[in-house]
């Protein structure tokens, strides 16, 4: 399968951080952490994505380096793309879409917090 990045129009969605970023573990036995082509750790954040009609989905979004976000914060993923993947398993094929963003930043522009009133 050819892996072509599919751009995501994030301007039509509202994102909220549901779970803080954690390093992506690629081998549970050894605890090996995934790295990008430059050797930076890849982090996964769980975000709630809501569209204009109020439909929601939970998505895991990978970034190179730890994003400065906290649960409950409205966030903006930049340059987000999706990749279709498939894995043959016991005569069937599992598939899905993985998401990656150049960065994920708080809407407030301040890491880990809301507005100062």
């Amino acid at each position: 399968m050819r892996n072509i990045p599919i751009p995501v129009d994030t301007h039509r969605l509202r994102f909220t951080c549901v779970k803080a970023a954690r390093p992506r573990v690629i081998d549970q036995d050894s605890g090996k952490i995934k790295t990008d082509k430059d050797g930076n750790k890849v982090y996964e954040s769980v975000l709630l994505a809501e569209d204009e009609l109020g439909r929601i989905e939970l998505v895991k979004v990978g970034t190179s380096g730890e994003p400065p976000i906290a649960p409950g914060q409205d966030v903006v993923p930049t340059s987000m793309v999706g990749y279709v993947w498939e894995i043959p398993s016991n005569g069937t094929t599992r598939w899905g879409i993985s998401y990656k963003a150049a960065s994920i930043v708080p809407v407030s522009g301040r890491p880990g917090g809301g507005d100062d009133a």
Side-chain angles (χ1 to χ4, degrees):
M1 167 184 270
R2 192 165 166 209
N3 210 350
I4 300 171
I6 303 163
V8 177
D9 184 1
T10 57
H11 295 95
R12 300 179 63 95
L13 300 167
R14 177 179 173 205
F15 292 91
T16 303
C17 177
V18 175
K19 189 171 184 181
R22 295 174 23 173
R24 176 144 185 236
V25 177
I26 56 174
D27 184 344
Q28 296 296 328
D29 294 331
S30 70
K32 183 176 180 183
I33 304 296
K34 181 177 175 111
T35 57
D36 65 13
K37 62 183 176 187
D38 297 323
N40 300 311
K41 286 183 185 177
V42 173
Y43 283 79
E44 271 186 340
S45 302
V46 179
L47 307 179
L48 180 143
E50 182 177 4
D51 70 10
E52 299 159 337
L53 301 175
R55 296 177 295 204
I56 60 172
E57 292 286 334
L58 288 176
V59 293
K60 285 184 182 178
V61 181
T63 57
S64 292
E66 186 174 5
I69 61 175
Q73 247 181 341
D74 287 338
V75 298
V76 178
T78 59
S79 301
M80 188 167 157
V81 294
Y83 292 92
V84 176
W85 58 266
E86 65 179 28
I87 301 172
S89 176
N90 298 326
T92 62
T93 302
R94 293 181 1 170
W95 70 276
I97 301 174
S98 61
Y99 296 96
K100 182 178 179 184
S103 65
I104 304 173
V105 296
V107 169
S108 69
R110 287 185 285 281
D115 298 323
D116 291 333

